[in-house]
Amino acid sequence: MKKRILVVEDEDTIREFVLINLRRAGYEVEEAATGEDALRRFEEGERYDIVLLDINLPGIDGLSVCKTLRARSPYLGIMMLTARTQEMDRIGGLMTGADDYVTKPFSPGELLARVDALYRRVQLSGREVQECEIYLSGPFALDSRSRQLKKNDVPVDITQVEYLIFLYFLENPGAPLSRAQIYNHVWGQDNAGDLKIVDVNMRRLRMKVEDDPSNPFYIQTVWGQGYKWNAGVTVRRVEAPEGGEG
């Protein structure tokens, strides 16, 4: 199976560095120097598993490209390439739908570890599952087969990262989960990174599921510990019929 990545970076030396290392690791890699070129490829029907996206692109910037691509698909893996001084841009990238980010300069080992972890999540989100579990909690229903979340029977658009966080909460209702536990569960223990990514994703998830995100009821902060899911959970197992999607 081909593992396709699009690298969107306007600096030739950085782009070439990324291309060489990803190809050595077995990825099929294509390149774009502008946001316009990247969006054109998707409009022409090109399919990729992951997009590595520089924030500071000429013309259409990386944040705008990220927002557009995320609106097209909740399952596309999007990783932002940022400078160490661009903390607000990193937060902006996550809020517009990026799954992760890596800060420049980065080593080949760090880059590949982050990309490999993101690719595993992308593959998991596309894997067909015959038996599914439906998690019911208050007004929410989370289907582990379709990865669809509903609130009061209305679909809620969530990314693969948000799905994994939400599922982790429902598997551990009422239990305080530290930022490190959430990070390790979703992004991987060997994928050392900034724990602020957890807080940004919590903010984004609250905006989607809470009635009042500024006064959250379901995703509560446990001061000095982390976060917890503040509702009971029941699980219903459903097996899809043979030859059907169920």
Side-chain angles (χ1 to χ4, degrees), residues 75 125-134 143-148 238-246:
Y75 304 119
S125 68
R127 187 181 63 188
E128 291 198 8
V129 179
Q130 289 303 313
E131 184 180 276
C132 78
E133 294 177 326
I134 298 177
D143 187 321
S144 68
R145 186 167 191 267
S146 66
R147 297 197 160 209
Q148 183 177 64
V238 179
E239 186 170 348
E242 290 187 15
E245 290 299 312

Side-chain angles (χ1 to χ4, degrees), residues 94 101 178-184 187 191-202 227:
L94 295 172
Y101 60 81
S178 71
R179 294 157 77 226
Q181 284 177 304
I182 295 169
Y183 185 92
N184 292 340
W187 286 271
N191 187 19
D194 189 347
L195 294 182
K196 290 180 182 177
I197 194 173
V198 175
D199 298 326
V200 176
N201 275 277
M202 288 304 166
Y227 301 91

Side-chain angles (χ1 to χ4, degrees), residues 16-33:
E16 189 64 26
F17 171 82
V18 172
L19 292 171
I20 289 173
N21 283 282
L22 290 178
R23 285 170 178 159
R24 285 176 177 170
Y27 289 96
E28 181 179 299
V29 190
E30 295 184 13
E31 59 185 295

Side-chain angles (χ1 to χ4, degrees), residues 40-101:
R40 177 185 56 78
R41 290 168 181 265
F42 280 89
E43 289 166 1
E44 292 176 351
E46 293 288 345
R47 298 178 63 87
Y48 301 96
D49 299 297
I50 293 173
V51 174
L52 297 188
L53 183 59
D54 183 39
I55 284 183
N56 288 333
L57 293 171
I60 301 177
D61 62 59
L63 296 180
S64 299
V65 175
C66 178
K67 186 175 181 179
T68 300
L69 294 181
R70 179 54 71 216
R72 294 175 62 99
S73 171
Y75 304 119
L76 174 68
I78 302 177
M79 181 176 294
M80 308 299 293
L81 305 177
T82 74
R84 295 192 185 277
T85 57
Q86 294 174 310
E87 181 173 353
M88 291 307 299
D89 284 339
R90 292 197 293 272
I91 292 173
L94 295 172
M95 291 300 292
T96 54
D99 299 293
D100 200 357
Y101 60 81

